[in-house]
Amino acid sequence: MKKPSPMQFFFKMIAPFKLLIAGQIVVYLFWAFDLSFRPYLVKTMIDRIANLDAGNAFTLIGPIALGYIGMSLAITLMFRVYDHINLMLNPSLKSYVGQFVVQKMLKHSQKFFNQNTSGNITNKIKDVSNSVPEILRILLEQFTSTVLA
């Protein structure tokens, strides 16, 4: 039996969680849009203030200011959604990876368990279970939001 590469293993582990990962990607897309659009709104407000007439100040700046406030509220809501997705994804993913690795480990012979201490095996399972969600977080949060913004 061919041993899977680390990338194949990673994609196999995250496959059942496609919907939650897609939700995270939507949050990152909105975050990138927010990071790009809010400075534009501030620039537009400053440009309009330069030509401000005291009588029509609210009509010139009001819609842009309300858009800025709306974007602030929307990004706060999106981060709440992101936290909710993380609370659903991370424990489930760690559990799924741990169960998968334990099932693979149980197929080994008695000799394997005699040559490796139980603490060593446990630490390896824990490392794999913790690293898959961390790699996913790094790929999505650090890479995607940096590239898109």
Side-chain angles (χ1 to χ4, degrees):
M1 185 170 143
K2 184 180 175 190
K3 184 177 175 183
S5 73
M7 289 303 289
Q8 289 172 333
F9 174 78
F10 175 74
F11 286 120
K12 183 176 182 177
M13 291 297 102
I14 65 171
F17 303 98
K18 289 177 188 171
L19 187 62
L20 293 173
I21 294 169
Q24 285 186 326
I25 290 172
V26 168
V27 171
Y28 293 130
L29 290 173
F30 188 81
W31 187 9
F33 175 75
D34 179 70
L35 285 174
S36 299
F37 191 64
R38 276 208 276 173
Y40 172 74
L41 290 176
V42 171
K43 179 198 171 298
T44 306
M45 281 193 291
I46 291 171
D47 289 345
R48 289 192 180 186
I49 287 174
N51 301 329
L52 185 65
D53 219 9
N56 63 356
F58 186 75
T59 57
L60 284 176
I61 299 174
I64 299 170
L66 289 175
Y68 186 85
I69 292 169
M71 289 290 292
S72 297
L73 292 174
I75 197 65
T76 302
L77 177 67
M78 292 301 280
F79 282 140
R80 296 288 182 193
V81 169
Y82 172 76
D83 288 340
H84 180 70
I85 291 171
N86 267 341
L87 287 174
M88 290 173 35
L89 177 66
N90 283 343
S92 301
L93 184 57
K94 284 181 182 181
S95 174
Y96 181 74
V97 172
Q99 289 174 0
F100 181 83
V101 172
V102 167
Q103 291 301 318
K104 288 289 187 181
M105 182 199 61
L106 290 176
K107 294 178 182 175
H108 287 290
S109 67
Q110 183 68 29
K111 183 179 177 185
F112 172 79
F113 294 101
N114 288 336
Q115 290 176 345
N116 296 293
T117 62
S118 60
N120 186 19
I121 295 170
T122 304
N123 283 336
K124 288 180 182 180
I125 292 172
K126 186 175 114 182
D127 288 344
V128 172
S129 297
N130 289 335
S131 65
V132 171
E134 187 65 21
I135 292 170
L136 179 64
R137 185 192 66 79
I138 290 169
L139 281 175
L140 292 178
E141 190 174 299
Q142 302 297 325
F143 179 73
T144 307
S145 58
T146 304
V147 169
L148 292 177

